[in-house]
Amino acid sequence: MNRVVIGAYWGDEGKGKIVDLLASDSDWVVRFNGGDNAGHTILVNGRKVVLHILPSGVLQGKNAAIGPDVFFNPKSFFADIKEVESKGFRLAGRVVVDDRAHVIMPYHIALDMSHENSGRRIGTTGKGIGPVAKDKASRREDITIHDLLFDIGKIREVVAAKENELVRNGIICQGEADDYAESLVREYSSYASLLKPFVGNVMYILNNALATGQSILVEAAQGTLLDIVHGTRPFVTSSNTTSGGAFANLGLNPKLFRIIGIVKAYPTRVGEGLFPTEMDDEFGKQVQMDGFEFGATTGRVRRIGMPDFVALSYSAAVNGVDEWVVTKLDVLAGKEFTAAVSYEKDGQVSSEFPSRLDGWKPVYNGRTYYFDKFSEDQAMAMVEMGFDALPDGIKDFLKDLVMHTRVPVSMVSLGPERGVTVIKNVLERTKGWLDGPR
Ligand code: GDP
Ligand code: IMO
Ligand code: MG
């Protein structure tokens, strides 16, 4: 079975946990988008691993690939390898990085920070993503892994071409460009030697793997609403975060894959940008605390919202989602919550997610969902017994989610640990709702 896992909201849905779990029966785990702006936290028997650029399935000893449209920071790549090994896991499979991937250079990070401080903030992670994407699109001022290996002198040309921009943003002073370029050439020559054993052609490697019957699990970074095209522009990231992006960027046949959408029980958002169901109140604060909603990459507080079926229907359509995995329901235990089913602006009500959110307010479905808090042992009993043992409040919420988005649920995550995930009978029962009366 080949799968693409995407985030349904604004990122941090728990993709890392679910990819780690699903990787047990995949041969390859693959990243196709974003860069080290991503932060995926995985918890296995009390050991916590945070990955930024390696795909999450590596803890299961699988082959790992980083595709040609990933923005690649060599420092983060080696830091991730160290993180995995220092936590007692082994990179047992191959690790391949495509030579077409664009390299994040120190000036991309400095430019990102400079733009953020200019007063027109996006609230970025400060990892240089916007500036490296801009250079990629320019086609002349970009540095790829191939360049590092075979044409490192290109760094001098690029720094010369960008000199005015670097001076204007206070990254170098007038007359310093040559020295700056030489220091980069030295630093990145050493990365080139270290990277050599990992470099390959990911498109061919994956297609050959498929041809020999191996299976592939693709992990998206970020979430659908941060997509450069379909997201809440301008407060988005600079790459495709949706399933179509996975196929376009990796060069894989979409017909061979199932699309899995990760839905956090409540949406969160880091950085700037409108957030229709945002709960800036006691409920929001409690969820923030109980769900430990602090960014894995920047440590920033994540903003909290009520469940939003308008956004999820949009995500289902944009990605062609086959099944949802719902995470962090345990965080909503003991709290009353509801769900948005349409948006309203100037008396007009719409079930569509608008291209610009200005002025749109959520309309809730008038239902209140509630279930009591449960212990870890009780959660494990639900894992053991499956869907039927879930509290009624969870089932009610899942039913409305499924009926509204017309997508069944295949798993329910009730804690950060790999094993605290209810799978038994979930897809079967939730599909049954779609087959029954509306
Ligand atoms: P990602 O970027 O989508 O991989 O998500 P993050 O790893 O940034 O954020 C999700 C956080 O929630 C991580 O700290 C996970 O360990 C944690 N998590 C994942 N699933 C669950 C769950 O079902 N319950 C709880 N309480 N935490 C979860
Ligand atoms: P994962 O993979 C949550 C957000 C930033 C900012 C916007 C643009 O962990 O879900 P960027 O640095 O990409 O230019 O920032 O996108 N953002 C994320 N938010 N999770 C992420 O990744 C994110 N990656 C970027 O906070 O609002
Ligand atoms: Mg994250």
Side-chain angles (χ1 to χ4, degrees):
M1 160 104 72
N2 303 303
R3 294 163 291 204
V4 173
V5 170
I6 57 94
Y9 282 128
W10 282 275
D12 301 326
E13 294 90 352
K15 298 175 293 291
K17 168 184 163 160
I18 301 303
V19 167
D20 166 70
L21 179 67
L22 292 174
S24 67
D25 59 2
S26 293
D27 296 298
W28 283 88
V29 289
V30 186
R31 271 280 303 267
F32 74 92
N33 74 322
D36 58 345
N37 49 349
H40 302 164
T41 303
I42 306 152
L43 198 65
V44 184
N45 299 330
R47 284 182 289 173
K48 180 171 140 181
V49 178
V50 183
L51 297 175
H52 296 288
I53 189 77
L54 280 178
S56 298
V58 288
L59 302 189
Q60 301 260 21
K62 303 301 171 162
N63 299 304
I66 295 175
D69 209 35
V70 171
F71 302 121
F72 187 83
N73 184 332
K75 292 181 203 176
S76 298
F77 175 70
F78 291 111
D80 268 14
I81 291 179
K82 201 166 158 203
E83 163 84 355
V84 169
E85 292 176 342
S86 69
K87 300 285 166 66
F89 295 90
R90 224 165 51 81
L91 291 175
R94 283 181 71 185
V95 178
V96 186
V97 185
D98 198 284
D99 71 335
R100 287 164 292 194
H102 282 84
V103 180
I104 297 175
M105 303 294 286
Y107 52 77
H108 292 129
I109 295 167
L111 286 168
D112 194 357
M113 300 312 285
S114 169
H115 298 158
E116 283 293 289
N117 292 332
S118 72
R120 301 184 73 211
R121 286 174 58 75
I122 299 281
T124 72
T125 58
K127 298 290 176 183
I129 301 297
V132 72
K134 199 168 163 187
D135 284 352
K136 174 188 122 184
S138 82
R139 292 154 296 167
R140 287 288 191 200
E141 295 177 12
D142 58 336
I143 306 284
T144 62
I145 291 182
H146 187 275
D147 293 330
L148 290 192
L149 262 52
F150 301 107
D151 187 16
I152 190 110
K154 188 178 173 189
I155 290 177
R156 297 187 185 97
E157 289 165 34
V158 170
V159 169
K162 292 176 82 69
E163 182 174 0
N164 287 342
E165 187 187 5
L166 300 183
V167 171
R168 208 171 48 245
N169 284 279
I171 295 162
I172 55 171
C173 295
Q174 202 76 49
E176 282 180 2
D178 288 350
D179 287 348
Y180 182 63
E182 287 317 313
S183 71
L184 291 179
V185 168
R186 270 195 306 280
E187 184 182 357
Y188 282 76
S189 299
S190 54
Y191 285 130
S193 324
L194 292 170
L195 280 171
K196 227 177 221 158
F198 297 101
V199 175
N201 187 321
V202 167
M203 192 286 292
Y204 277 119
I205 290 170
L206 295 182
N207 275 288
N208 289 339
L210 288 172
T212 57
Q214 292 193 329
S215 61
I216 294 177
L217 174 63
V218 179
E219 174 188 46
Q222 291 90 46
T224 301
L225 303 177
L226 291 174
D227 184 271
I228 181 88
V229 178
H230 298 285
T232 49
R233 284 178 68 95
F235 304 103
V236 295
T237 190
S238 302
S239 59
N240 298 115
T241 62
T242 45
S243 60
F247 305 120
N249 298 349
L250 294 170
L252 292 172
N253 180 351
K255 296 191 287 292
L256 303 178
F257 286 77
R258 216 171 149 75
I259 314 294
I260 301 182
I262 312 298
V263 177
K264 184 144 68 171
Y266 46 89
T268 58
R269 180 159 206 181
V270 196
E272 308 296 315
L274 293 171
F275 184 2
T277 66
E278 182 162 15
M279 300 301 289
D280 194 8
D281 60 0
E282 263 318 298
F283 173 87
K285 283 201 189 77
Q286 204 56 51
V287 171
Q288 211 164 56
M289 299 294 287
D290 294 349
F292 197 69
E293 295 297 350
F294 301 94
T297 300
T298 57
R300 290 178 294 175
V301 168
R302 296 171 180 157
R303 299 152 64 191
I304 310 292
M306 267 299 160
D308 185 345
F309 293 166
V310 182
L312 294 180
S313 294
Y314 179 70
S315 276
V318 169
N319 293 290
V321 173
D322 292 306
E323 57 194 68
W324 296 124
V325 171
V326 184
T327 60
K328 300 196 91 159
L329 272 165
D330 53 301
V331 177
L332 294 185
K335 303 175 180 71
E336 287 188 351
F337 59 101
T338 181
V341 284
S342 53
Y343 291 169
E344 189 264 326
K345 180 180 182 175
D346 301 332
Q348 186 196 342
V349 176
S350 172
S351 58
E352 293 184 1
F353 193 82
S355 56
R356 291 290 180 275
L357 285 168
D358 314 60
W360 290 97
K361 299 278 174 245
V363 179
Y364 293 101
N365 61 4
R367 301 219 186 172
T368 303
Y369 307 99
Y370 180 87
F371 49 95
D372 285 330
K373 289 193 176 180
F374 46 82
S375 65
E376 269 178 41
D377 285 350
Q378 286 171 313
M380 286 319 289
M382 294 181 219
V383 171
E384 191 72 26
M385 291 161 70
F387 178 88
D388 297 334
L390 290 174
D392 287 344
I394 289 189
K395 286 184 190 149
D396 292 344
F397 174 67
L398 294 180
K399 184 165 186 183
D400 288 346
L401 165 70
V402 169
M403 297 306 268
H404 196 96
T405 59
R406 310 302 299 166
V407 175
V409 175
S410 59
M411 295 186 195
V412 176
S413 171
L414 298 178
E417 271 280 350
R418 186 192 275 169
V420 192
T421 317
V422 182
I423 304 174
K424 193 172 164 186
N425 294 333
V426 178
L427 190 58
E428 188 189 337
R429 297 280 197 274
T430 60
K431 256 186 176 166
W433 289 330
L434 287 173
D435 298 338
R438 265 182 185 242

